[in-house]
Each structure stands twice: as C-alpha cells, then as structure tokens.
Amino acid sequence: MAIATTSPVTGEVLRRYEELTPEELEDKLARAAAAAASYRLTGVEERAAWLQHAAERLEKEIESVSRMITTEMGKTFRAAEEEVAKCIHGLRFYAAEGPAFLRDMDADADAGRVGAKQTFVSHQPIGVVLAVMPWNLPLWQAMRFAAPALMAGNVGLLKHASNVPQCALYLEELFRDAGFPQDVFQTLLISSGRVEQVLRDPRVAAATLTGSEPAGRSVATIAGNEIKKVVLELGGSDPFIVMPSTDLERATDVAVKARCLNNGQSCINAKRFYVHQDIADPFIEMFVAKMGALVVGDPMDEATDVGPLATESGRQDVAGYVEDAVGKGATVLLGGERPDGPGWFYPPTVLTGVTPQMRMYHEEVFGPVAQVWAVPSLEDALREANGHPYGLGSNLWTEDEAERELFVRDVQSGMAFVNGNTTSYPEIPFGGVKRSGFGRELSDLGMREFMNAKTVWIGQDA
Ligand code: NAP
C-alpha cells in the first residue's frame, strides 16, 4: 500500500510520502539503539515531566490535530476531538502513575523463607520496541503504546498504517518537542513488507501489533522465530447481550453507539447482538429506528454521526460481507446498499437471520453493520457468544445479579462490560483472548509487558 493521505470523503490523493531508503532505515535503527543505551538511565521524574509537556502541547493543538485525523481516516471531527482528549489524558495518567508503577515490588514479603535478607522485583526497560499500528484510532492506538513505553524507559519505533502518515510523523514531532532525548521515539515510513527486517534486527528487542489477524500471525511468527516478546491486539466481534430486566431505551441508545462508534471501524464495536426472545421485537424496532436516524455525511459537519469508511478496500470488504449474507438468505432490516457518489460511505445496516453458512457469522465486519438474533436464555446467548473465534470485549445488559455473575464468569473475552459499552481507559487493562490476541495494554499491566521483571535476591549479612 502506497504511503499517502487520501481523502475518504472524495477519494482524492492529497499527499504522497516517500518510503525510507535502506540507508535511512539503517540510520534510524542505529539511532534508536544509541538512544536506548542512555535513555534507560534517565530518571522517572524526568520522563514524567516530558510526558506532561507532550500533553500540554497536544492540548494546545487539539483542533488542528483532530482535523488531521478526520482528513486522513474519515472519523467525525467530534470523534477525533474525543480521541485527542483521550491521548492527553493517557499522557497525564502515565506521568502521574508511572513512577509508582516502576517502584520495586517485594518478591516475597517474608524473604527469610527463601534464605534471603531481602528479595524484590525490579522492573527495567528492555530497549527498542517496534509498534505496528492501525489507522482506525491513529493517535490513540499509537499513544497507548508510546506513553507507557517511554515512561518505562524504552525507546519506540512506530510503523504506522500507510494511510495515516501525517499522524505518524506528528507523533515523532510531538515527543521530540516535548523534550524527550533525541531519537527516543521515531516514525518509520515503511511498507508492511519491511516489518520483518526491522523485527529481525538484533537492535530491536520486542514488538507490539494492533491490527488484523493475518498481520498478527505474521509478526508473531517472526517474533517467535527470533525469541522476542510480542503483544497482539487483533480483531474482535464483540457480543452485546440484552436481557428482559434492562431498560430498553438506554440499552438501544448504547447499542447504536457501540456499533457505530468510529464509523463502525473499532475492534471493540459491538458487532453481534443477542437479545432475549421476550424483548426481541421491541428491541429490534427501537434499534432499527435509532440506527436509521443516524446522519451519514461529511465528517467535518457537526450534524454528522457517521462519516465514510477509511479506505475503498475497507468498503468493498463490508459490502462483500453483506452481499454474501443476503445471497444466502439473511434479512436486511436497514441499509445494506452502497450509495452512489464520491467517497467511501456505507450506511448503518441491520441484519437478522445470519447463519453459520455466512462469512460474517465467523469473521469481523469492520463497518456499521449489526447482526441481531433472538435467544431463549442467557445460557444460549453465552454459547453463541463463546462459539466465535474472537474474544476481545463483551457486553451484557441486565438488572439481574445472578445473570451478571454468570456472564462475568463464563464469557470468553478479555474484557466484560455490564450495562455499558466496551471502551478503553488508561486506568484499566485492555486486551483479548483467543484469536483477538494476547498480552495487555494500558494500566500497570500494559507498561510491564515490555519490561524485564528482574528478580533480586540479597543474602543475609555475614
Ligand atoms: P492491518 O491491515 O493488519 O494493518 C495494521 C498495521 O499492520 C498497519 O500498520 C499495516 O501496515 C501493518 N501490516 C499489515 N500487514 C502486515 C504484515 N503482514 N506484517 C506486518 N505488518 C503488517 O489492519 P487494519 O485493517 O489497518 O486495521 C483493522 C484491524 O485492526 C481490525 O481487525 C481491527 O479489529 C484491528 N484492531 C484491533 C485493536 C485491538 O486493540 N485489539 C484495535 C484497533 C484495531 P500497512 O498499512 O502498511 O499495510
């Protein structure tokens, strides 16, 4: 994929970027390794201050940065502003909490049991970490790697998606101008085919990838071969289960948001809706009405709820899933037709009657398409939810405590949200199980993924 900014609203290529030459890439790798050697020795308070400076600058530039995000990938300007605000919060969170996360921890409070005067775990940086990132939250996805990694004393190399080069370059500039030492965070303008070379380079210690399953498989294979740590945040097809005790007005409001957030292109969008049969008819009526009321249009327009999909191939994929399902007997309650005209718009769509013969039943639809089923019980909903290969987020709507407990215990997902939609917060861990990947981002857990938990044992005095 060529590295370029292309407007999802018009399809026009706005700016092309040259890939790094082999010599330029080698230079960046050498610089990263040199930076890692000294950056690891900087103090945590210094690093926290640089993160604060980055937050301050981003706060001043929120409007222009949000505009850049909307221009490159088509999310609404309002959503872009929310994304930038989350980045500011993430930077401040790690600046405030990072020093505590990095304190030595007792390995065993009773060190005498292991014959020592003292034992503790010292969390130390591992060096240069490669981050391969997607376009869908072009600032936040990269920031949730960068803020904890830099706070931890690691050095970052960002290979961002080829359609968001302006966001990628902005991040390098942001950290440099915030005062971080030279080359502590660099952007690599390279195609995905060159990720292997970077990951196999002995100067690179580990990798994190957020993206599709094929990309994750490829990076994990290389990392495994090189015996390097890897974190994978891959696709999702989150279930959204609605039980009779819930307030349907509230649940349908959130269901629409959960499916259409980010123009329907988020790994944690709710994509499969399992509704108890006793309330299925009113749920579907309200859900379809609210999905149908969303305004699709220019993402810079304040009235717009859903902008275009980010790429032409992304829209083809979404349309292909719907055509496959309809061809095999699914019922379209709303949408389902690609509009004429420029840009990569796709309308909010609701389908029922989706069966295992249809591709969307097993895969991820990265656009505003909801699948709804009526189910006889929570147990049936959980069986269906857990039958899916992905296990990222999950949602239950109920006022019943026993149902909540059953869901929390049984749902096979990295995150379980009750009476709210799945979202990411710097304060709590984020990640999936099964084919949604492994490892955690955010919170103290995310920071420690790329640290050496060094066990220290100090013997009794002579
Ligand atoms: P993608 O095609 O996998 O691209 C993601 C990144 O991986 C891009 O930087 C891409 O570079 C690179 N890449 C692609 N193929 C690669 C390969 N074989 N080896 C190394 N790098 C490779 O995914 P996408 O379509 O941009 O993003 C959508 C997917 O990301 C969805 O499945 C979504 O669910 C997932 N996602 C997951 C999370 C999470 O936290 N679990 C969050 C957001 C998105 P190029 O752009 O140059 O191809």
Side-chain angles (χ1 to χ4, degrees), residues 21-153:
T21 63
E23 295 73 27
E24 285 166 340
L25 179 56
E26 166 52 32
D27 181 57
K28 291 218 170 226
L29 285 164
R31 284 167 176 275
S38 53
Y39 184 61
R40 60 193 291 279
L41 303 173
T42 54
V44 288
E45 299 301 338
E46 267 179 305
R47 296 178 207 154
W50 294 324
L51 286 180
Q52 288 286 11
H53 293 160
E56 279 156 27
R57 173 168 168 185
L58 203 44
E59 201 159 44
K60 285 195 197 109
E61 296 177 347
I62 190 160
E63 196 188 330
S64 59
V65 175
S66 303
R67 190 177 289 274
M68 175 173 71
I69 292 173
T70 298
T71 304
E72 289 209 298
M73 55 70 65
K75 72 167 58 175
T76 63
F77 181 70
R78 210 174 343 128
E81 282 183 316
E82 286 167 14
E83 179 176 342
V84 180
K86 194 179 259 203
C87 291
I88 296 165
H89 176 56
L91 287 162
R92 295 206 164 119
F93 172 76
Y94 279 104
E97 302 297 331
F101 293 162
L102 294 172
R103 259 184 230 132
D104 294 340
M105 289 167 25
D106 273 346
D108 179 358
D110 184 1
R113 290 197 306 186
V114 292
K117 182 171 80 175
Q118 190 189 9
T119 61
F120 59 93
V121 175
S122 171
H123 284 95
Q124 301 185 350
I126 58 168
V128 180
V129 184
L130 169 68
V132 183
M133 289 290 140
W135 46 262
N136 64 335
L137 291 123
L139 227 62
W140 174 237
Q141 292 292 350
M143 189 61 79
R144 65 199 220 180
F145 153 71
L150 297 182
M151 188 64 221

Side-chain angles (χ1 to χ4, degrees), residues 133 135 141 144 159 162 210-212 215 233-235 267 364 430:
M133 289 290 140
W135 46 262
Q141 292 292 350
R144 65 199 220 180
K159 183 275 178 266
S162 294
T210 301
S212 61
E233 298 289 358
L234 307 180
C267 53
E364 177 187 31
F430 185 100

Side-chain angles (χ1 to χ4, degrees), residues 283-304:
F283 176 91
I284 289 173
E285 194 182 323
M286 288 161 86
F287 182 56
V288 169
K290 290 177 186 183
M291 288 280 279
L294 293 174
V295 177
V296 180
D298 181 348
M300 286 306 297
D301 190 333
E302 256 184 54
T304 297

Side-chain angles (χ1 to χ4, degrees), residues 3-19:
I3 302 178
T5 299
T6 304
S7 167
V9 177
T10 62
E12 185 193 351
V13 179
L14 301 175
R15 192 162 166 193
R16 294 179 202 279
Y17 290 77
E18 290 297 321
E19 269 204 51

Side-chain angles (χ1 to χ4, degrees), residues 1 132-137 141 144 159-163 190-192 195 209-215 218-219 233-236 266-267 271 364 366 392 430 436 441:
M1 193 173 172
V132 183
M133 289 290 140
W135 46 262
N136 64 335
L137 291 123
Q141 292 292 350
R144 65 199 220 180
K159 183 275 178 266
H160 217 324
S162 294
N163 55 331
I190 55 171
S191 64
S192 57
V195 165
L209 178 135
T210 301
S212 61
E213 209 182 311
S218 165
V219 164
E233 298 289 358
L234 307 180
S266 170
C267 53
K271 294 170 185 131
E364 177 187 31
F366 221 49
L392 190 56
F430 185 100
S436 293
E441 291 185 294

Side-chain angles (χ1 to χ4, degrees), residues 107-313:
D108 179 358
D110 184 1
R113 290 197 306 186
V114 292
K117 182 171 80 175
Q118 190 189 9
T119 61
F120 59 93
V121 175
S122 171
H123 284 95
Q124 301 185 350
I126 58 168
V128 180
V129 184
L130 169 68
V132 183
M133 289 290 140
W135 46 262
N136 64 335
L137 291 123
L139 227 62
W140 174 237
Q141 292 292 350
M143 189 61 79
R144 65 199 220 180
F145 153 71
L150 297 182
M151 188 64 221
N154 288 318
V155 160
L157 285 175
L158 171 65
K159 183 275 178 266
H160 217 324
S162 294
N163 55 331
V164 289
Q166 294 186 31
C167 291
L169 292 169
Y170 175 79
L171 283 161
E172 179 177 294
E173 185 188 310
L174 177 73
F175 290 118
R176 192 181 53 235
D177 291 357
F180 281 97
Q182 187 75 18
D183 305 322
V184 157
F185 187 93
Q186 298 181 85
T187 288
L188 307 177
L189 288 188
I190 55 171
S191 64
S192 57
R194 295 168 79 189
V195 165
E196 176 163 6
Q197 181 202 338
V198 177
L199 184 49
R200 288 201 189 276
D201 192 290
R203 292 166 290 191
V204 173
T208 180
L209 178 135
T210 301
S212 61
E213 209 182 311
R217 188 172 292 113
S218 165
V219 164
T221 302
I222 299 160
N225 192 255
E226 294 290 332
I227 319 201
K228 291 182 180 177
K229 175 81 184 266
V230 65
V231 167
L232 298 181
E233 298 289 358
L234 307 180
S237 189
D238 289 3
F240 189 105
I241 302 171
V242 189
M243 299 304 290
S245 60
T246 206
D247 171 356
L248 277 189
E249 201 66 68
R250 188 168 153 233
T252 47
D253 278 349
V254 178
V256 170
K257 194 173 158 203
R259 178 54 284 211
C260 293
L261 206 80
N262 218 40
N263 303 346
Q265 304 163 114
S266 170
C267 53
I268 48 172
N269 281 133
K271 294 170 185 131
R272 298 176 290 145
F273 295 80
Y274 300 106
V275 185
H276 192 280
Q277 60 193 16
D278 292 355
I279 49 160
D281 287 345
F283 176 91
I284 289 173
E285 194 182 323
M286 288 161 86
F287 182 56
V288 169
K290 290 177 186 183
M291 288 280 279
L294 293 174
V295 177
V296 180
D298 181 348
M300 286 306 297
D301 190 333
E302 256 184 54
T304 297
D305 298 303
V306 180
L309 300 187
T311 62
E312 189 171 20
S313 64

